[in-house]
Amino acid sequence: MFSRVRSQQGLTAVGLTLLGYGVMILSGVLGLPVPYAVAALVVISGELALATRYAETGELLRKAGLGLVFRRLVRDLSVVLLVVSTVRPGVAGTVAVLLLPAGLWTVAVGSTVLTRVLDGRAATPALTRNLDLGAARRLPVPPAWARHLAGLRLPLLNVLLVPAAVVAAATGRIAPVVVTALVTLAAGVVTAAVLALAALRGRGTAPGVLPAVHDWLARERPEVALYFAGPAKDVYQANMWLAPVEATGRRAVVLLRAPDAFRELADTRLPVICVPAGVDFMNLDLGSIRVALYAANVGANIHLLREPGVKHVFVGHGDSDKQASVNPYSKVYDEVWVAGPAGRERYARAGVGVLDRDIVEIGRPQLGGVHTFGTAAADHVFTVLYAPTWEGWLDDDPYHTSLVLMGERIVSGLLAAGDLRLIYKPHPLTGTRSRKARAAHERIAARVRAAGGRTDPTSLDGTAHLVVTGRTPALFDCFNVTDLLVSDVSSVVSDFVQSERPYVVANPAGLPEDEFRRTFPTARAAYLLSVDCGELPKVLAVTRAGDDPMTGERRELKEYLLGPAGSNPMDRFRDEIGRLCG
């Protein structure tokens, strides 16, 4: 519904903009400055809307042969028509009015060409962070103002000449048009000169970053690679492994494939290399790499999997009872690392071709900072974390998340209970596939705000309700201030068990309790919540009182999900990396 309304609004904006262009041309021919000015305002408003709110709809104009360049030419023609038809400047004046826009367009096109030359020269097939590449990156870059003014993207000609034409028509003089055009032309000439100088200075510079990356790999010889080929929206999957890989103390590198993921990657001291093109990536000399860690199953993994001298290990981005945790793709790796016995048994039950001898239990090294006790803050208020998973890929699975069927009821029940603090932290991918999930999320966030909650706080301090959708505060930071978790069948539950504190798992499908716990072992020590959320008041009462009958079961489940008590998962992770590095 939302998408359809937005599409209709975009088409309306297109229609009004085209109508404005028509009126500008007609007013120019007839010499009517007032209608011309009104139409110009309509066109400017329409172009702003198409550039910001309705970019997808505006693309229809380009496909119909009415792209931005064509529309700017129409505006320029309308300027000439208006001035000539109203002022009647004579032969010399007419020539001036015609030649000045022509000169401006010549400079604008030339600036655009120069900008593209510079962009092509500076464009690199590799992006890097925390690498010393010497002089390879010292390419001439023109000032920001020159890049903004260059080309057709900032049409000073149109912005300044259209009102000048109206003034000229109203006063009967062509001076406003001539002066405005000369000033604009001067600015364009200066811009073009700066760009040309930058282009000339670029001659003979180093060929770019990629050769320097080759040199760095040959010099530093990293032995561990964290590989991630997904987009920015999934980069949290790689972020969770940055600290453990850094803590191994090995020569390591992060290998990415998507520029947007490179920009969104969390802060790290590890060297980071992003090579988008498959051919460029496969030509890297990765002969020193001994272990490659994969955080996600994506097709572009093949570009590293083809390296025969590397031990390829799937570490994933969290153990859960969801089908994604036993993807048949996993059998392409040399080893699959899971947190505890639950992960091993999950693959055995699934029968997807992953051999038991290739499964290694390492615990969850990310959980070292999750406390197994509550916060000691003096002003601590009983805190409930609602962290639903996302809607998943399958259209026919309405029970993947509790958000759509139960989310608002859960949040309303918690807010109505009083004397508690609610932290709402949805999955990073929430709403990316389902409009219903996105709408439910927005309504929940609005409800929390209406109850005095803060949105995207920088810290978890205080007692106010919170909506946490950004990278920080991190999920594990939320764990450390949480007394009770409400979540779905997901890795959030498995990780929270580290804290040994009570948790609730939503049962939106209404499965019988025994069947639910048997199907989803992570819920063995959980309180279950049906669609009507009728169990919520009792769960709150029991857990607030501290008389929690599930405590012993959670401790047993913790070893099943995360490995033996007393073992340090970071040490296990480090040891397994060392084993494969030899």
Side-chain angles (χ1 to χ4, degrees):
M1 179 65 180
F2 173 79
S3 177
R4 186 164 60 250
V5 170
R6 186 178 181 84
S7 178
Q8 291 171 349
Q9 292 174 342
L11 291 174
T12 301
V14 166
L16 289 175
T17 303
L18 293 179
L19 177 62
Y21 277 114
V23 174
M24 285 178 73
I25 290 290
L26 184 60
S27 300
V29 171
L30 299 177
L32 303 173
V34 174
Y36 182 94
V38 174
L41 291 175
V42 171
V43 165
I44 292 172
S45 301
E47 289 289 3
L48 288 174
L50 293 176
T52 55
R53 298 180 60 193
Y54 309 116
E56 294 180 0
T57 308
E59 183 68 9
L60 296 175
L61 288 174
R62 186 189 65 79
K63 293 179 179 179
L66 303 175
L68 195 56
V69 173
F70 176 83
R71 301 199 301 274
R72 285 171 181 166
L73 284 170
V74 170
R75 289 202 294 270
D76 297 342
L77 174 62
S78 71
V79 168
V80 174
L81 290 173
L82 179 65
V83 173
V84 170
S85 63
T86 55
V87 178
R88 303 185 185 281
V91 175
T94 301
V95 170
V97 172
L98 289 172
L99 287 181
L100 283 172
L104 280 168
W105 267 94
T106 302
V107 172
V109 171
S111 298
T112 299
V113 171
L114 287 169
T115 302
R116 290 178 179 173
V117 168
L118 286 168
D119 287 345
R121 185 175 295 161
T124 171
L127 302 169
T128 66
R129 189 195 300 182
N130 303 332
L131 275 72
D132 181 8
L133 300 182
R137 304 184 72 185
R138 295 173 189 167
L139 295 171
V141 178
W145 64 264
R147 298 180 66 83
H148 286 307
L149 286 178
L152 309 178
R153 281 171 286 184
L154 183 62
L156 281 178
L157 172 63
N158 305 130
V159 172
L160 299 179
L161 279 187
V162 167
V166 175
V167 173
T171 61
R173 300 176 179 274
I174 65 167
V177 173
V178 175
V179 172
T180 301
L182 286 173
V183 171
T184 309
L185 182 60
V189 169
V190 171
T191 300
V194 171
L195 292 170
L197 180 62
L200 290 172
R201 287 179 56 210
R203 291 180 179 178
T205 57
V209 172
L210 196 56
V213 169
H214 283 272
D215 293 342
W216 183 89
L217 289 169
R219 182 175 67 250
E220 299 297 331
R221 297 187 61 77
E223 54 187 346
V224 178
L226 173 60
Y227 180 88
F228 181 73
K233 66 182 178 63
D234 298 332
V235 79
Y236 71 93
Q237 300 168 355
N239 285 341
M240 68 173 61
W241 288 104
L242 294 174
V245 171
E246 186 175 327
T248 63
R250 297 274 177 175
R251 297 190 308 276
V253 63
V254 180
L255 299 176
L256 303 177
R257 305 301 305 284
D260 60 345
F262 174 84
R263 290 186 286 270
E264 293 299 320
L265 190 75
D267 292 337
T268 179
R269 289 180 292 183
L270 293 170
V272 182
I273 300 173
C274 175
V275 181
V279 172
D280 290 336
F281 184 87
M282 290 187 287
N283 281 326
L284 293 177
D285 182 2
L286 301 175
S288 66
I289 301 293
R290 293 291 171 263
V291 183
L293 307 175
Y294 299 81
N297 286 314
V298 294
N301 285 6
I302 191 65
H303 294 149
L304 183 56
L305 282 165
R306 61 190 292 275
E307 291 287 337
V310 178
K311 286 293 184 181
H312 304 279
V313 178
F314 181 68
V315 292
H317 48 275
D319 282 14
S320 79
D321 292 324
K322 292 190 290 191
Q323 199 64 28
S325 291
V326 287
N327 193 319
Y329 191 111
S330 302
K331 60 177 174 283
V332 304
Y333 305 101
D334 295 305
E335 294 184 1
V336 174
W337 290 3
V338 299
R344 181 183 298 276
E345 292 181 14
R346 195 176 293 124
Y347 274 106
R349 289 194 305 270
V352 293
V354 177
L355 302 179
D356 186 73
R357 67 170 181 264
D358 295 331
I359 297 176
V360 180
E361 300 173 25
I362 65 163
R364 283 280 279 163
Q366 294 88 348
L367 299 179
V370 175
H371 306 155
T372 55
F373 48 85
T375 178
D379 61 347
H380 178 69
V381 176
F382 187 87
T383 299
V384 181
L385 170 63
Y386 178 42
T389 192
W390 73 304
E391 56 268 27
W393 292 113
L394 301 178
D395 292 323
D396 59 351
D397 185 4
Y399 308 122
H400 196 86
T401 176
S402 61
L403 190 66
V404 176
L405 295 178
M406 305 170 57
E408 292 178 83
R409 201 172 290 121
I410 290 171
V411 168
S412 296
L414 292 172
L415 293 176
D419 197 24
L420 62 77
R421 181 195 199 190
L422 169 63
I423 300 178
Y424 168 57
K425 184 171 178 60
H427 191 283
L429 297 182
T430 292
T432 56
R433 194 194 58 78
S434 166
R435 291 195 299 271
K436 290 182 179 179
R438 182 172 64 249
H441 158 69
E442 291 171 352
R443 290 193 296 270
I444 288 172
R447 186 163 298 187
V448 176
R449 287 194 298 270
R454 294 186 287 128
T455 302
D456 282 336
T458 56
S459 74
L460 298 170
D461 297 334
T463 59
H465 303 306
L466 302 177
V467 177
V468 181
T469 56
R471 184 187 300 165
T472 56
L475 177 65
F476 297 158
D477 295 327
C478 294
F479 283 178
N480 284 333
V481 299
T482 295
D483 299 289
L484 175 68
L485 169 72
V486 181
S487 189
D488 301 317
V489 173
S490 71
S491 61
V492 171
V493 168
S494 304
D495 289 342
F496 188 75
V497 169
Q498 168 73 16
S499 73
E500 299 183 12
R501 275 169 265 155
Y503 65 102
V504 177
V505 176
N507 178 14
L511 295 177
E513 182 173 339
D514 291 345
E515 181 181 350
F516 189 90
R517 296 185 191 278
R518 183 173 62 254
T519 305
F520 307 114
T522 52
R524 289 180 186 173
Y527 296 95
L528 301 188
L529 195 63
S530 56
V531 176
D532 65 5
C533 300
E535 304 87 351
L536 193 57
K538 181 179 180 181
V539 172
L540 287 173
V542 170
T543 53
R544 274 173 157 176
D547 185 19
D548 182 9
M550 294 283 196
T551 302
E553 294 178 59
R554 284 197 299 274
R555 288 173 181 161
E556 293 179 9
L557 182 63
K558 181 178 176 179
E559 293 197 27
Y560 177 63
L561 295 178
L562 303 175
S567 65
N568 187 328
M570 189 60 234
D571 289 341
R572 295 167 70 185
F573 179 67
R574 188 182 294 112
D575 290 345
E576 294 300 337
I577 292 286
R579 170 178 63 84
L580 294 184
C581 285

